[in-house]
């Protein structure tokens, strides 16, 4: 299964890639929303996307809104992974179409727990 | 700082009598790391003095602090996912059907720890079974630790705690931001009746009859005889058609044959017809 990781921080991309690989995913990463959309347009077909909020070019919020207005990606499970921790932000992300929300900092167990909530944990299958 | 063999023996016997907690030899480090801070907070200069005080008074504030510190409180929201799915898809609908005439349900979380488990169940009920709003639902959550009960009543969780296992839509719906932390809604906090209860104590007669009991991840710390005693008491407070949930690594099999695991979910147990 392929997971799409969208974050402008190379450190976070590396950390998430390591965690997801440990859970049996292959990982495709993108450095911002526009980059991610381009990769999807080019044919990438992930089973899940982990998306940062604050990024240059196109932020995570805009990216999720773009996904949800396109029938091809409308039902792609998306988890926001961000330093934004206000309740209004969580609510906004969910309203825009995020399925889950993880606040930084996080541990591998937290990522795994959240994937289980999305019905995506390998231990669930 | 290290613990003398004699002090270790005393502490193990003390926590076994007080809370059925088994401290095997080799766990000296646990006594050091957990009781060191207790000694410090009580103004005692180390574990030898703490043990001396404990020998003098086995029922006072220090004794409670020692039991509190020696219990393991690891927990999380919707821990293990599976039991909650089974509750939602099967157990709660069955109970609602069985109790539809008198519209009463009674629920007990018997090792509440810091509250994530009872709050998870409370949210699940509110989300998926709104018809219960017109029922009389008695929801009791207990723990032996007063410190844990204080946390339960407060319902305040750190960002790290709400990050674990709690679905974001429920965070938004049932919590408020409080500084850097998150607090459960007053409605849920007041819905649950928080009580101190020692599973190896003598207060079982003070309990009502229950339709559903969660006794998860606490008996793992007890020896077989203690488990038998608790499950025998459990058979008396659980209604004949009630449901008992244990932790994923726990079972009644070979411990109490009055219970049998459900075929659909191995951590859910029913009583055998007598
Ligand atoms: C590991 S936590 C389990 C929390 C929760 N049920 C779960 O599964 O996530 C164990 C709890 O059992 C409590 N406990 C330990 N001994 C007990 C006793 N004798 N009577 C009642 N509670 C006890 C501890 O205080 C602790 O909060």
């Amino acid at each position: 299964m392929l997971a799409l990781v969208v974050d402008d921080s190379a450190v976070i991309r590396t950390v998430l890639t390591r965690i997801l690989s440990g859970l049996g995913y292959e990982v495709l990463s993108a450095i911002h929303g526009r980059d991610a959309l381009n990769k999807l347009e080019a044919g990438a077909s992930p089973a899940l996307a982990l998306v940062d909020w604050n990024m240059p070019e196109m932020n995570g919020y805009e990216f999720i809104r773009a996904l949800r207005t396109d029938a091809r990606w409308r039902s792609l499970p998306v988890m926001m992974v961000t330093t934004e921790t206000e309740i209004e932000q969580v609510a906004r992300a969910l309203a825009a179409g995020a399925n889950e929300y993880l606040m930084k900092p996080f541990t591998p167990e937290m990522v795994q727990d959240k994937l289980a909530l999305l019905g995506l944990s390998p231990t669930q299958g | 700082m290290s613990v003398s063999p004699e002090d270790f023996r005393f502490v193990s016997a003390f926590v076994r009598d007080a809370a059925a907690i088994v401290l095997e030899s080799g766990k000296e480090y646990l006594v050091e790391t957990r009781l060191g801070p207790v000694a410090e907070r009580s103004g005692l200069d180390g574990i030898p003095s703490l043990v001396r005080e404990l020998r003098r008074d086995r029922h006072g504030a220090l004794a409670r602090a020692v039991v509190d510190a020696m219990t393991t409180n690891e927990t999380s929201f919707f821990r293990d996912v599976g039991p909650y799915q089974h509750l939602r898809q099967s157990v709660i609908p069955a109970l609602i059907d069985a109790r539809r005439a008198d519209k009463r349900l009674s629920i007990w979380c018997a090792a509440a720890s810091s509250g994530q488990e009872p709050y998870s169940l409370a949210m699940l009920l509110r989300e998926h079974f709104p018809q219960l709003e017109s029922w009389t639902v008695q929801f009791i959550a207990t723990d032996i630790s007063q410190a844990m009960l204080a946390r339960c009543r407060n319902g305040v969780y750190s960002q790290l705690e709400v990050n674990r296992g709690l679905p974001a839509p429920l965070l938004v719906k049932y919590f408020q931001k409080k500084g850097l932390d998150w607090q459960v809604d007053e409605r849920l906090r007041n819905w649950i009746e928080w009580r101190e209860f020692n599973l190896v104590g003598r207060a079982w007669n003070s309990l009502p009859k229950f339709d559903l009991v969660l006794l998860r991840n606490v008996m793992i710390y007890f020896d077989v005889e203690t488990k038998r005693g608790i499950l025998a008491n459990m058979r008396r407070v659980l209604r004949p058609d009630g449901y008992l949930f244990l932790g994923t690594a726990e079972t009644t099999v070979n411990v109490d044959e009055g219970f049998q695991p459900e075929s659909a979910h191995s951590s859910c147990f029913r009583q055998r017809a007598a």
Side-chain angles (χ1 to χ4, degrees):
Chain A
M1 278 211 288
L2 183 68
L4 174 63
V5 169
V6 192
D7 202 306
D8 58 337
S9 152
V11 175
I12 297 288
R13 289 198 303 271
T14 308
V15 169
L16 284 176
T17 301
R18 195 174 299 141
I19 293 171
L20 290 164
S21 307
L23 295 172
Y25 284 90
E26 282 178 53
V27 178
L28 173 69
S29 45
I31 58 172
H32 49 62
R34 173 72 46 213
D35 184 27
L37 276 184
N38 290 341
K39 285 180 166 141
L40 288 171
E41 286 289 355
S45 162
L48 136 94
L50 276 59
V51 183
D52 183 22
W53 192 305
N54 300 301
M55 296 179 287
E57 296 285 327
M58 178 189 272
N59 70 31
Y61 180 77
E62 291 159 350
F63 172 66
I64 292 172
R65 292 188 39 157
L67 286 182
R68 295 318 185 210
T69 54
D70 190 313
R72 289 171 294 174
W73 306 307
R74 191 166 290 143
S75 56
L76 172 67
V78 175
M79 174 156 79
M80 198 116 208
V81 185
T82 169
T83 50
E84 296 293 334
T85 61
E86 289 312 312
I87 195 160
E88 294 76 14
Q89 303 290 72
V90 185
R92 270 184 80 207
L94 295 176
N99 305 89
E100 260 305 335
Y101 198 100
L102 183 63
M103 294 176 273
K104 295 173 182 172
F106 55 83
T107 64
E109 291 72 38
M110 289 173 191
V111 175
Q112 195 172 358
D113 283 357
K114 288 283 185 183
L115 295 190
L117 289 176
L118 292 172
L120 286 167
S121 159
T123 52
Q124 284 288 294
Chain B
M1 196 192 327
S2 70
V3 181
S4 74
E6 205 191 325
D7 283 355
F8 180 74
R9 266 197 305 278
F10 177 81
V11 171
S12 332
F14 171 76
V15 296
R16 194 195 54 231
D17 295 345
I21 297 162
V22 182
L23 263 188
E24 281 142 1
S25 56
K27 297 278 171 127
E28 283 81 358
Y29 70 93
L30 263 185
V31 172
E32 288 163 32
T33 53
R34 293 187 178 179
L35 296 190
V38 174
E40 200 166 308
R41 277 200 302 278
S42 314
L44 299 163
D45 64 354
I47 287 168
S49 322
L50 180 144
V51 169
R52 214 171 306 123
E53 280 301 309
L54 202 54
R55 282 178 194 276
R56 280 196 321 120
D57 179 4
R58 298 181 189 207
H59 303 283
L62 181 66
R64 299 202 141 282
V66 167
V67 171
D68 267 12
M70 293 310 301
T71 52
T72 298
N73 306 117
E74 165 76 9
T75 187
S76 60
F77 288 104
F78 295 95
R79 181 172 186 174
D80 302 324
V81 185
Y84 292 95
Q85 278 170 354
H86 187 59
L87 279 163
R88 174 180 163 189
Q89 287 161 5
S90 169
V91 172
I92 305 292
L95 278 174
I96 286 179
D97 194 42
R99 302 287 183 268
R100 65 183 180 278
D102 53 351
K103 297 196 172 194
R104 285 173 179 277
L105 264 190
S106 55
I107 298 171
W108 179 26
C109 280
S113 187
S114 36
Q116 285 92 327
E117 178 180 276
Y119 284 130
S120 298
L121 180 55
M123 289 185 277
L124 181 146
L125 295 174
R126 284 261 195 259
E127 280 296 293
H128 301 292
F129 304 96
Q131 63 269 47
L132 290 178
E133 304 259 338
S134 65
W135 286 42
T136 309
V137 180
Q138 182 175 37
F139 194 144
I140 299 178
T142 65
D143 201 279
I144 194 176
S145 159
Q146 286 183 331
M148 284 301 122
L149 287 167
R151 284 212 56 196
C152 289
R153 290 194 180 96
N154 241 330
V156 174
Y157 299 95
S158 70
Q159 180 175 306
L160 292 176
E161 288 170 323
V162 300
N163 250 344
R164 279 198 63 189
L166 179 64
L170 298 185
L171 177 72
V172 170
K173 194 160 167 190
Y174 294 103
F175 288 75
Q176 270 137 28
K177 194 92 193 267
K178 217 185 170 192
L180 293 175
D181 295 331
W182 298 78
Q183 184 170 36
V184 183
D185 267 2
E186 202 174 353
R187 265 184 81 202
L188 289 190
R189 281 186 276 136
N190 294 340
W191 185 28
I192 301 172
E193 191 183 324
W194 307 98
R195 292 193 200 173
E196 189 179 334
F197 186 82
N198 184 350
L199 291 163
V200 295
R202 295 164 201 278
W204 284 82
N205 285 333
S206 70
L207 296 171
K209 293 267 186 281
F210 294 105
D211 301 304
L212 168 64
V213 176
L214 272 58
L215 176 68
R216 301 183 63 219
N217 302 299
V218 58
M219 287 204 296
I220 29 170
Y221 304 108
F222 302 155
D223 61 27
V224 166
E225 280 318 305
T226 308
K227 287 179 194 168
R228 288 212 166 102
I230 292 172
L231 290 171
N233 280 319
M234 194 57 79
R235 276 190 272 118
R236 291 195 280 114
V237 299
L238 188 65
R239 293 216 168 88
D241 61 344
Y243 295 79
L244 172 69
F245 279 78
L246 302 182
T248 326
E250 301 169 312
T251 184
T252 59
V253 175
N254 296 328
V255 183
D256 185 326
E257 298 313 321
F259 285 100
Q260 66 188 73
E262 273 206 323
S263 50
H265 188 81
S266 62
S267 66
C268 178
F269 301 83
R270 310 293 304 275
Q271 300 195 62
R272 266 180 233 276

